[in-house]
Structure formats: structure tokens, C-alpha cells
Amino acid sequence: MTYASIMVHLDGSARATHRLEVAARLAAAQGCRLSGLFAIFEPDPAWFYLMEDAARYIEADRRHHHAVCDGVRRKFHEVTKALDLDAEWRETQGFPIPAVLRHVREADLVVAGQFDSGDPAGFIAPQFLETVVLEAGRPVLVVPHAGTFTSLGQRVVLAWNGSRESARALHDAVPLMTAGRVRVLCAPPPSGLRPDAAPASHAASALSRHGIAHEVEHGTSGSDLAVGEQILSRAADFGADLIVMGAYGRGRLRELVLGGVTHTLLQSMTVPVLMSH
């Protein structure tokens, strides 16, 4: 089982090149198509018309957008040519959230970056990453804004609570886990397991059928924050290069409420995290 297509979100941030390299190596390993999707912050044109000399500001913003896009596009073609990838370049128009969602729903896997509050070029829209994770309908591999990640899927922590979301994450991540070893971390939520929660043994059976080496560890229950920190701690202890988990939340576009564990991982991740909602 492999992915047929990967789509990576690219912008003008300092980490965009590393994110591209991670996605390109994955595409090469999977033998699949890589699409680069360029989307950056787009100011509302109505704002400019509240300023004096609006035309000058609009033209300056247009030149900035094209300059950033040209630089990122050249880097995309350079990286994909070096790896001899089947590659495609795409650009969004207008407000980025709906435009990005329209594109990413086509991909088998989406690669995006953790938000870095210290890099203004990485701001795309309010709750951009959270919206992509919850609304794309596709698994999203989130690359941290710090660190270098040259391997992926050799040692994996799979956070398991028996939910629909964790089951989707397991199966969505199979192409990344087939050559590695997985530690299934069964971490019950503070409210306890749902009546329909699948036991960790079912996750182990699914991994076995795909020929994936694994082991099961039972974590401790606690607050959402504690469970999130437990996942990060176990990942560090295991030397994981990937965390796989379900993403939890509700709402649409900018009116989102994230689950506590999802929020903790998006804020504090130290290795790439594949999330499925």
C-alpha cells in the first residue's frame, strides 16, 4: 500500500524549504506525484481603500506576492528535478483557507507546517493549520517549525483511544509505517473510553495484517494536557521520528474548537505528526 499523491503547502516562511524536502523525500519513497500548493496571506482589498494612496499599496502587495511566489516556485522545481519526481505546481487565488481546502481534498496525503509565531511570513490566515487538519478530509502530516527530519516512519508512536479518528489515523498512516516499528500507546481520555471504543488489540491486529512490527503500551488516563504531554514524552523515550494520532475538534473555517490533546500536539510537537480527523 502506497500513496498515489502528496500535496505540500508552501509559503514564504523560513521553514518552507525544509517542509518541501520532507515531502519530496516521501514522494520519492512512495513513487508518487508531488504537488506544491503555494498559498500566503492575502489582505482584504477593502482594507487598502481605507488608506490614502490605496493604489500604491495594492501594487506593492501585488509585487511582493509575485516575488515570493517566484522564489518558492523555483525552489520547488529545483528540489523535484533533483529527485526526478512527477511534480506539479499550483497557486491559490483569493482568501487562502477555502482555496487551499479545494485543492488538498484531492491528495492522498497533505504536508503542512506547524505555525511559528516568530516568523510573520508563516501566517496565512487565523487558525489556518487547524482548519486544514479538521476540514480537509485528508490525513495531514504536520512538520514542526524547529528541527531537521531526515527520516520518517522508522520508529512511530501511534496514539490509540479506540475512536473513529484514531482508527482513521492508523489506516491513513500505513504507507509511512510499513518499514518501521510502531509503539501503540493506549491513552484513555479523562472521561474514559467510549462504549464503541476499539481495544488496543484491534489496532495491533490491523498492524499485523499489514506486516508492521509493533508493540503495545498502556498509558495512564488524565487531563487532555496530561495525555498530550504523555504522548510527547513516550515519543521522546522511544526515539520516534513520527507520531500518528486522530485529530479532534468541531466547527468550520475560523470558528474552531480543538480538542485538548490535538491542541497540545500542534503547539508542542517535537517530531512530525500525522493527524486524521
Side-chain angles (χ1 to χ4, degrees), residues 158-172 198 244-248 276:
L158 167 65
W160 182 264
N161 63 8
S163 66
R164 173 181 65 86
E165 290 84 354
S166 59
R168 283 202 58 178
L170 184 162
H171 291 280
D172 286 340
V244 174
M245 61 177 287
Y248 304 86
S276 292

Side-chain angles (χ1 to χ4, degrees), residues 231-267:
I231 294 170
L232 291 170
S233 175
R234 294 295 195 275
D237 293 343
F238 188 52
D241 58 13
L242 176 66
I243 295 171
V244 174
M245 61 177 287
Y248 304 86
R250 62 184 185 273
R252 290 188 61 81
L253 300 183
R254 285 179 290 179
E255 299 174 359
L256 296 176
V257 179
L258 286 179
V261 178
T262 306
H263 177 77
T264 298
L265 267 292
L266 286 179
Q267 292 292 315

Side-chain angles (χ1 to χ4, degrees), residues 94-273:
F95 186 60
I97 286 181
V100 167
L101 290 177
R102 282 194 298 270
H103 285 278
V104 298
R105 287 174 179 151
E106 176 186 336
D108 287 345
L109 177 70
V110 179
V111 179
Q114 180 191 23
F115 176 62
D116 180 5
S117 60
D119 186 352
F123 178 80
I124 310 302
Q127 292 190 297
F128 172 76
L129 176 60
E130 295 88 339
T131 303
V132 172
V133 168
L134 294 182
E135 297 294 331
R138 309 306 308 136
V140 180
L141 178 68
V142 184
V143 180
H145 61 61
T148 301
F149 308 100
T150 56
S151 68
L152 202 68
Q154 298 302 306
R155 297 178 70 82
V156 181
V157 167
L158 167 65
W160 182 264
N161 63 8
S163 66
R164 173 181 65 86
E165 290 84 354
S166 59
R168 283 202 58 178
L170 184 162
H171 291 280
D172 286 340
V174 164
L176 298 180
M177 301 189 296
T178 52
R181 183 168 189 86
V182 177
R183 175 172 290 180
V184 181
L185 176 61
C186 188
S191 57
L193 295 175
R194 292 166 47 104
D196 64 347
S201 60
H202 289 191
S205 295
L207 293 170
S208 293
R209 285 193 292 272
H210 285 287
I212 298 171
H214 62 277
E215 58 196 59
V216 176
E217 175 185 351
H218 291 276
T220 57
S221 184
S223 67
D224 285 343
L225 177 61
V227 171
E229 291 177 342
Q230 182 179 180
I231 294 170
L232 291 170
S233 175
R234 294 295 195 275
D237 293 343
F238 188 52
D241 58 13
L242 176 66
I243 295 171
V244 174
M245 61 177 287
Y248 304 86
R250 62 184 185 273
R252 290 188 61 81
L253 300 183
R254 285 179 290 179
E255 299 174 359
L256 296 176
V257 179
L258 286 179
V261 178
T262 306
H263 177 77
T264 298
L265 267 292
L266 286 179
Q267 292 292 315
S268 306
M269 64 175 62
T270 52
V271 297
V273 180

Side-chain angles (χ1 to χ4, degrees), residues 49-69:
Y49 291 106
L50 298 177
M51 307 175 187
E52 293 184 6
D53 199 12
R56 181 167 62 87
Y57 286 105
I58 291 173
E59 177 58 23
D61 181 71
R62 186 190 67 80
R63 288 197 302 269
H64 169 74
H65 183 109
H66 285 298
V68 173
C69 182

